[in-house]
Amino acid sequence: MTRLRLTCLYGGVFMVAGTALLAVVHLLAVQAVSRGNDPVLEVRSEYAIVLAPAGCPEPSDGGPAPCPAPSRQQPQDSLVAATALVLAALVPLSATAGYVTAGYALSPLRRITRSARRASCESS
């Protein structure tokens, strides 16, 4: 019963950590697909540095350029499907890692219990 509780606890910790890591990688992949190879910033003149997205027309009055939002195609469903597949594979892997970790955590307790039983049998 204790091993089952520890398995759930450790498996949950592994699942949360794996899901967080997968979410970060997925968000970075979506950002990379939506932005592509466009440079983030562009230096326009030799005296003033203008922080504007590359490819925006330079304004004639020196103010900020009204740049339209780039129309990029959203990431394809294959990225979402791959993420869901990895998340589905993460469930049994987390449960297995939790089971093994619970075994390691309980091994000193088993050794102490075994020694105590031997000592009580010898003293009787």
Side-chain angles (χ1 to χ4, degrees), residues 31-57:
Q31 183 183 10
V33 167
S34 66
R35 188 178 349 166
N37 292 332
D38 291 344
V40 178
L41 301 174
E42 178 180 16
V43 178
R44 297 225 173 127
S45 68
E46 51 192 21
Y47 298 110
I49 297 176
V50 178
L51 299 179
C56 282

